[in-house]
Amino acid sequence: MFILSIFQWWYTIGWAERWRSIFTKTALLAESFSLGIILATLFKPWKQLTTLQPNSTLAHRMVDNLISRFVGFWIRLFVLFGGIAYIFVSFVVNTVLAVIWPVIPLLPIGFLLIGLAGL
């Protein structure tokens, strides 16, 4: 009876939870990488480092701000592409696992038969 309830959970609630967790994990990864914030601040200065000293020349402030924006752009761009790649790979791997979910309980039997055939 216990084995039957495990199989019933595996092919109904368990499988549905597996699919639901894919979308939950993907959303959490997108939130943890803050992709929306990175896109919104792509051209902002890095760490908000700007020259605000009143005694510096306009050219000096502009160069400092330009360098800060350049550094910020490239760091955010790498984080953006890295985050998108990580989210994509995670989504694909979790989807493949969800697709093979129904077959997983049968794998020990299959491996046993393959092992016995090799003897």
Side-chain angles (χ1 to χ4, degrees):
M1 189 62 135
F2 178 68
I3 299 294
L4 184 61
S5 65
I6 289 175
F7 276 104
Q8 182 181 6
W9 174 86
W10 188 269
Y11 289 105
T12 57
I13 298 170
W15 201 13
E17 284 293 322
R18 183 73 189 145
W19 283 106
R20 197 172 302 118
S21 75
I22 291 171
F23 300 109
T24 303
K25 287 178 184 178
T26 304
L28 285 174
L29 280 174
E31 185 178 331
S32 67
F33 275 101
S34 304
L35 298 180
I37 294 173
I38 290 174
L39 278 174
T41 62
L42 192 61
F43 296 104
K44 297 284 183 184
W46 178 244
K47 299 279 188 180
Q48 301 301 318
L49 294 176
T50 56
T51 303
L52 299 175
Q53 299 171 352
N55 58 353
S56 63
T57 65
L58 178 64
H60 184 254
R61 286 192 306 243
M62 287 178 60
V63 169
D64 282 351
N65 294 341
L66 186 64
I67 290 171
S68 181
R69 286 178 191 274
F70 183 76
V71 169
F73 170 78
W74 283 106
I75 290 175
R76 287 184 185 101
L77 192 67
F78 283 125
V79 170
L80 183 70
F81 284 139
I84 289 171
Y86 185 74
I87 291 168
F88 178 75
V89 168
S90 173
F91 181 78
V92 168
V93 167
N94 284 319
T95 302
V96 167
L97 289 174
V99 167
I100 66 170
W101 179 273
V103 182
I104 292 174
L106 304 175
L107 288 178
I109 298 167
F111 290 144
L112 181 64
L113 292 174
I114 290 171
L116 290 175
L119 291 176

